[in-house]
Amino acid sequence: MFGGFAPGGSPQYHPDTSFATVHVRLELSIDLAARTVSGACSTTLESLGGGGREILFNAVGMSVGKVSIEGEGRTRHSYDGKVLRVDLPRSVARGERITVRMAYRLKDPGAGLTFIGPDKDYPRKPLQVWSQGQTDDSRFWFPCRDVPSEKAVTEVLATVPEDFTAVSNGELVGVTRDRKRARKTWHWRMAQPHPLYLVTLAVGRFSEIRDEWDGIPVTYYCEKGREADARRGFGKTPDMVKFFSERIGVRYPWPKYAQIAAHEFGGGMENTSAATQTDLALLDRRAALDTDFDGLVAHELAHQWFGDLVTCRSWAHGWLNEGFATYFDPIYQGHAQGPDAFHYDMHLFAGDYFEEDSKRYRRPIVTNVYKHSWSLFDRHLYQKAAWVLHGIRYRLGEDLWWAAIKHYVERFSFKCVETSDFVHAVEESTGRNIRRIMDQWIFGSGHPEYRATCRWDPKAREAVVWVTQRQRASERNGLFSVPLEFRFETGGELKTFKKTVDQREHTFRFKLRVEPTAAWIDPEHWVLKKLEFSKPAAFWKRQLSADRHLAGRIEAGREISGWRTDESAALLEAAFHREKFWGGRLELARALGDARTDAAYEALKRCLKSADHRSRRGVVEALAGFHGSESVRLLIGLARKDPAYRVRAAALRGLGRMRASSALPVIMKALREDSWADVVRRGAVAAMAGIQGVRAITRLKALSSAGRPMQVRMEALEWLGRLGSGEKGVFEHLEKIMKESNRHLLFSVVKAFENIKDDRAVPCPGPAKACRRVSPAVGEDGG
């Protein structure tokens, strides 16, 4: 999940404890209709210091009943609604184990456990319940020491109506039926220690779809009738398990791997051996034309090693979970689809990070200064950290990199780590000291920003490259020391040099046989950086046509687009038709759109005819930049009948940007059309709002009201935020929605409040429960 880092927090430290959790057993009876849970948590703990006379459990919003010590009977306790203090009848010696049983009851908890079910506004909503413990929400559904370092063997016994399935961590011990009460008890046991924030429970009327890899069950759970959609969303999982097991060098460590498609779950969460996934991953045939969830599936699976098996000791070091899982997602994509897929994901990661860095804030990846732990889960922790790992791989080389990964995972399996542990593992396995890299990229902030020029010295027969670091030096963001590759094409051959750039300014001279026809800095794109490279137009043309690296071709396309000539349009069109990877074609189409010339428009029309489903979206987005009657007609046709949902949505949004009022009949029809994730209807909402402006306020209020599809409501709320400043009734409408309990909807409301800039709006105007639910922001990953 992506949060938002809030400056001004205070230092957070790992809390002291006298006991370590060894085993947790949850025996829970769940009433889905009443949204209640009743039962008991039995926790076995081992004394660490000796002499302890009380145990503290994080436990929020529970009704606590009898508390007892196994073998010693009932014991005294106190509870303030947040912390359960259990008095021990005697001191416990160091190394001695003690089991505490706590009876408790929950009623629709504010976090940790979410009940989903039909109501007057959404009578067709499925009846489900699912947990979400990260970062510190397990305390809302069972008493525990709620820190990421707490690992234990766990058992979950969930009693549910007999037509429901309950899924949890580990192996299914058995299912018992109480025919008189029409109930079943599902008993799951995880025999290996794993983090308590990853203890999971998901209940629904699920179908189970079974795959396997090398004897390990690989299963998918979805609402009945969606089995084929689940196969489309999750079907590559066995290949992913095989690839990660072989590439990491450590076999998949858990007894099964399940994925549960949960309603209203945002992104995914890597619960040990049983990941919870958004049910948007259930793809119908048309959605699968230009959409997949392979990235999300690979990310959550990679967490089974990075986060579940090897776990960050505190959230300050959360990049050891999220950075690794984020990086291993494109590593799998490169394996499955080729290197262009890997490089395109990394290209997008860099853009995401740069946007946060430039528009929101800059921070070290590792910091213990924050207000809320979930606020650390941002683009620094995910995308930038993935790039840091990419840079370490560059420094080590392939063989040493994979040796280091294997050693790190083997050494710290079932343990908790901090950044220094990863540094030590690399040093032990490779002999390389990466502390300077950590100081610059992990404990420091920012990234290098280079300006460079290239010229040819004919007398000396040397290419002369001037490089300067432009970023402003500060205590945490100084000059970077980075070995950069400089590559030249001479006489049809490539010649590569490596130089360390560590000063404010460098002038490098490279001896070449003949004058180069192309030049690159960091041609393999190993380094996260901003680069302005002034070089001859012929060099850019050659880069567009001959660069082996997708990011280099995209970079050249953007540069050539800025020339805005007939020649540049021809070059980009030729590159589009030559490009084999859909992401490259999409980016080249966007570059043509940015050119804004008649020649570029004609080129885009030709590209539209040959584009595949995915890249056609980029062509459509580009055509929307040309406000002519012909382009309006083209987009209306695509909005009506293109087979791919996302292309239709892009056409609708484009018509909105063009203020094409002649398209309103098509747009209004699309507002009534169902599609996967309501992609088409959302595009129609954006189109209507773009064309009608403040005149759409009344309809946007209706579209964002209870009873409308959730995705449509969020789209309408975004537009209310854009258009509603000063408009009558908008604040009151948002205030009413704030009383609802869907956390993703509430996040949209908060954003809308921010945008309308009404002085009555405060950071979280809803009730305490709603504020609690809105705190974990929604992103492509839940953990």
Side-chain angles (χ1 to χ4, degrees), residues 48-60:
L48 297 176
R53 294 299 300 266
E54 73 171 5
I55 302 173
L56 306 182
F57 294 94
N58 300 115
V60 179

Side-chain angles (χ1 to χ4, degrees), residues 607-679:
C607 291
L608 186 63
K609 295 177 181 178
S610 63
D612 60 285
H613 293 302
R614 292 196 179 208
S615 62
R616 192 159 63 247
R617 175 165 54 93
V619 179
V620 170
E621 291 171 354
L623 284 169
F626 296 87
H627 292 199
S629 58
E630 184 185 31
S631 56
V632 169
R633 285 196 301 274
L634 276 172
L635 264 62
I636 286 176
L638 291 162
R640 276 195 180 120
K641 61 183 181 181
D642 195 275
Y645 292 138
R646 289 187 185 275
V647 176
R648 293 188 63 198
L652 288 163
R653 291 178 185 275
L655 290 165
R657 290 196 298 275
M658 298 164 81
R659 306 287 193 271
S661 56
S662 61
L664 279 171
V666 173
I667 292 165
M668 294 306 171
K669 184 178 179 181
L671 276 174
R672 300 189 295 273
E673 184 175 337
D674 293 333
S675 61
W676 167 83
D678 267 309
V679 168

Side-chain angles (χ1 to χ4, degrees), residues 263-368:
H263 192 67
E264 294 185 6
F265 193 84
M269 186 64 216
E270 65 271 17
N271 302 311
T272 318
S273 79
T276 310
Q277 303 278 32
T278 173
D279 64 353
L280 294 179
L282 304 177
L283 298 171
D284 65 35
R285 288 184 181 275
R286 288 186 68 181
L289 291 175
D290 63 351
T291 301
D292 67 63
F293 277 77
D294 295 351
L296 179 67
V297 173
H299 180 106
E300 305 308 335
L301 177 61
H303 267 307
Q304 301 300 312
W305 287 265
F306 304 106
D308 298 15
L309 183 62
V310 180
T311 310
C312 65
R313 178 171 170 77
S314 70
W315 295 124
H317 298 269
W319 80 279
L320 296 168
N321 293 12
E322 298 302 343
F324 276 83
T326 303
Y327 187 47
F328 272 72
D329 156 16
I331 287 175
Y332 173 76
Q333 303 283 28
H335 158 75
Q337 301 182 53
D340 284 347
F342 169 83
H343 293 302
Y344 190 53
D345 277 359
M346 295 301 291
H347 167 77
L348 296 177
F349 288 172
D352 288 342
Y353 157 69
F354 287 141
E355 181 182 46
E356 181 171 87
D357 176 81
S358 63
K359 295 181 179 179
R360 299 184 66 193
Y361 53 79
R362 172 175 288 182
R363 71 171 182 89
I365 290 175
V366 171
T367 178
N368 70 335

Side-chain angles (χ1 to χ4, degrees), residues 14-228:
H14 199 268
D16 292 339
T17 183
S18 301
F19 293 87
T21 309
V22 176
H23 179 260
V24 173
R25 178 183 170 97
L26 301 177
E27 301 168 63
L28 306 175
S29 179
I30 299 155
D31 187 329
L32 284 85
R35 299 183 173 228
T36 61
V37 177
S38 59
C41 172
S42 298
T43 302
T44 301
L45 305 110
E46 182 174 303
S47 176
L48 297 176
R53 294 299 300 266
E54 73 171 5
I55 302 173
L56 306 182
F57 294 94
N58 300 115
V60 179
M62 301 177 183
S63 297
V64 179
K66 178 182 176 182
V67 178
S68 59
I69 305 295
E70 186 178 275
E72 302 193 30
R74 193 163 187 160
T75 190
R76 295 175 58 188
H77 67 276
S78 62
Y79 180 54
D80 63 3
K82 293 183 179 180
V83 176
L84 174 60
R85 297 175 179 268
V86 177
D87 295 331
L88 300 179
R90 58 179 177 78
S91 63
V92 181
R94 176 179 171 82
E96 184 181 352
R97 294 187 176 185
I98 187 170
T99 298
V100 181
R101 181 178 174 84
M102 298 155 281
Y104 67 101
R105 189 173 187 275
L106 305 172
K107 172 67 175 177
D108 198 12
L113 202 64
T114 296
F115 286 86
I116 303 291
D119 54 35
K120 64 181 179 63
D121 296 314
Y122 299 96
R124 298 177 63 186
K125 192 184 295 187
L127 202 57
Q128 294 182 358
V129 61
W130 42 258
S131 65
Q132 168 59 24
Q134 187 176 262
T135 52
D136 51 10
D137 285 353
S138 284
R139 65 187 68 189
F140 284 83
W141 73 284
F142 66 95
C144 59
R145 184 167 182 263
D146 201 3
V147 293
S149 62
E150 203 75 353
K151 293 193 174 190
V153 170
T154 62
E155 288 181 85
V156 175
L157 291 84
T159 300
V160 298
E162 63 181 354
D163 58 335
F164 281 73
T165 299
V167 186
S168 188
N169 315 93
E171 294 181 285
L172 183 62
V173 177
V175 182
T176 58
R177 175 177 290 177
D178 183 338
R179 295 184 183 276
K180 183 179 291 187
R181 296 174 57 227
R183 307 272 282 175
K184 283 183 179 178
T185 298
W186 296 75
H187 183 182
W188 294 88
R189 187 171 193 273
M190 173 60 81
Q192 301 143 297
H194 70 116
L196 296 188
Y197 73 89
L198 296 175
V199 176
T200 187
L201 176 63
V203 179
R205 290 187 176 97
F206 295 136
S207 284
E208 181 188 67
I209 300 99
R210 297 186 179 186
D211 269 338
E212 67 91 31
W213 173 74
D214 199 23
I216 293 175
V218 177
T219 55
Y220 324 122
Y221 292 88
C222 65
E223 286 290 318
K224 293 179 179 178
R226 304 292 305 275
E227 293 84 0

